[in-house]
Amino acid sequence: MLQLYAPRPGKAESGSVKSTTIAPTHPLADGRTSAAPLVRALRGDRPGRTPVWFMRQAGRSLPEYRQVRQGTDMLEACLRPELASEITLQPVRRHGVDAAVFFSDIVVPLKLAGVGVDIAPGVGPVMDQPYRTADDVAGLVSRTLDPAALDPIREAVALTVAELGPTPLLGFGGAPFTLAAYLVEGRPSRDHLAARTLMHADPETWDALVTWTADLTGAFLRAQVEAGASAVQLFDSWAGSLSLADYTSRVAPASTRALGHVADTGVPGIHFGTGTEHLLPAMRSVLVSAGITDHAVGVDYRTPLDEAAALLPGVPLQGNIDPALLGAPWDVLEAHVRDVVARGRKANGHVVNLGHGVPPDTDPTVLTRVVELVHSL
């Protein structure tokens, strides 16, 4: 069973005091990013300007990205430190966003652990096989991740942080359920029926699988934080397909385990999923149970932020511009952004973002205008 780091039990209540294990040269420790608007918002503060960044801001919408990625497949680009760093920095230079998000993919830890996985253009992550039986999963979880395999991640983060100065780098990882769903289905799925079936048909095998994916993601997050990431986001892209009962009993403990790998570092955390309005309080509980004292819950475009704030009193929120409106006339998009910011004032801290990722055909100048608008409000 993979175990690069044994998670320490987290504090039961938000706001509790705990020491941190980041190095004195870490951007949060030496002061470079400790007062950044993003970090302050994640700690429940209201900085002078509302911070904004975009999920998938580093990628296909930028011509400079397409130029440097030419001839290099996705996973190869993620594991070439200088290239990954350059791609991470591109949207910060272009848009003036308040955070860089590390350029990688949630399946990178799977690849580093020896799983056959590829990013198929127009499809997404495709596994070498579906892992659906007890024997399949037993063979999978017997694989170990050599700590040295994460060296390209550490190097890319260090290169990026050296260039960012006071702008924080956000590390990220895939939530255990989302990774497990890819493994069981073998490829993207609309309803994750095979994964949900395994969850109930063979709970012991399911628990072994999500424990393994939790430790993979936890090691991936920790490598990013130790190399200089000032916050982390756990993506649970497919959690919206679950009932609240299934989420709390079969998924939340693994997500808590994943985030527990970085709890002792003291970095803020964000938990995001799509279609998860019915899960938002439970997702926040994962952050608390993991010991992530400073945190926000990401809200997708379906749930207005004032309604999310009512579900999560006193909790900072992230979101939730509808990506579809990035292609609308500017007056329509501007009104929507103003509405999102206004609704976000109901929360105890707000990081403006999309309610999902940047569509690949987005005009980059529109994103720059959104950043300027948010900063002007």
Side-chain angles (χ1 to χ4, degrees):
M1 183 64 65
L2 173 75
Q3 185 67 55
L4 294 187
Y5 163 73
R8 300 182 182 182
K11 298 291 185 181
E13 299 296 331
S14 178
S16 58
V17 178
K18 62 177 182 289
S19 61
T20 65
T21 59
I22 53 175
T25 54
H26 190 282
L28 281 179
D30 67 18
R32 274 176 288 168
T33 61
S34 56
L38 175 86
V39 173
R40 290 179 59 188
L42 294 178
R43 289 176 169 164
D45 195 4
R46 283 284 178 176
R49 74 182 191 198
T50 302
V52 53
W53 68 281
F54 305 109
M55 288 181 280
R56 295 183 186 161
Q57 66 187 18
R60 296 167 294 177
S61 66
L62 299 182
E64 55 267 43
Y65 167 82
R66 293 192 293 271
Q67 182 177 357
V68 298
R69 263 284 316 276
Q70 198 167 19
T72 307
D73 69 34
M74 175 66 180
L75 293 179
E76 180 186 352
C78 293
L79 295 172
R80 289 174 52 184
E82 291 186 357
L83 180 57
S85 177
E86 167 59 23
I87 294 171
T88 302
L89 293 165
Q90 287 175 347
V92 180
R93 299 189 196 112
R94 177 184 276 265
H95 303 310
V97 286
D98 294 287
V101 59
F102 182 53
F103 175 75
S104 192
D105 193 274
I106 64 170
V107 300
V108 164
L110 296 178
K111 181 177 179 64
L112 296 179
V115 177
V117 57
D118 190 23
I119 308 292
V123 177
V126 177
M127 305 297 149
D128 53 354
Q129 68 169 80
Y131 294 86
R132 297 183 179 179
T133 69
D135 287 344
D136 290 339
V137 172
L140 189 65
V141 303
S142 68
R143 300 170 190 250
T144 58
L145 176 59
D146 183 346
L150 290 163
D151 285 349
I153 306 302
R154 299 185 185 95
E155 183 180 348
V157 169
L159 288 170
T160 306
V161 168
E163 296 291 329
L164 282 172
T167 301
L169 175 68
L170 189 73
F172 80 97
F177 171 74
T178 290
L179 288 182
Y182 277 127
L183 288 162
V184 176
E185 303 288 345
R187 60 193 300 113
S189 164
R190 290 187 177 184
D191 56 11
H192 314 103
L193 184 61
R196 293 188 292 115
T197 297
L198 179 63
M199 181 188 300
H200 293 283
D202 190 346
E204 184 177 347
T205 294
W206 174 259
D207 289 345
L209 178 59
V210 291
T211 297
W212 186 75
T213 55
D215 286 337
L216 273 180
T217 286
F220 187 52
L221 292 174
R222 191 167 183 89
Q224 294 170 72
V225 170
E226 289 181 340
S230 293
V232 296
Q233 174 162 302
L234 189 70
F235 284 84
D236 212 346
S237 307
W238 308 131
S241 66
L242 298 167
S243 69
L244 176 59
D246 285 349
Y247 180 81
T248 55
S249 64
R250 292 298 179 189
V251 171
S255 292
T256 298
R257 183 183 181 98
L259 286 168
H261 282 255
V262 295
D264 67 308
T265 67
V267 299
I270 306 162
H271 199 183
F272 172 77
T274 57
T276 52
E277 180 176 4
H278 63 301
L279 302 180
L280 292 178
M283 292 174 69
R284 193 265 172 145
S285 294
V286 164
L287 291 156
V288 175
S289 298
I292 307 296
T293 303
D294 300 314
H295 57 251
V297 175
V299 182
D300 81 355
Y301 59 89
R302 299 168 179 84
T303 307
L305 288 183
D306 53 339
E307 295 181 15
L311 292 169
L312 299 165
V315 178
L317 299 179
Q318 179 177 276
N320 69 341
I321 298 167
D322 187 341
L325 271 67
L326 295 175
W330 174 252
D331 61 332
V332 175
L333 176 57
E334 180 182 4
H336 176 57
V337 172
R338 289 179 178 274
D339 181 64
V340 166
V341 173
R343 292 175 186 270
R345 293 194 180 105
K346 298 291 186 180
N348 186 35
H350 181 205
V351 177
V352 174
N353 206 311
L354 302 179
H356 204 193
V358 176
D361 58 352
T362 301
D363 180 351
T365 63
V366 171
L367 295 177
T368 303
R369 290 185 73 181
V370 169
V371 173
E372 293 169 349
L373 173 59
V374 172
H375 287 169
S376 74
L377 298 178

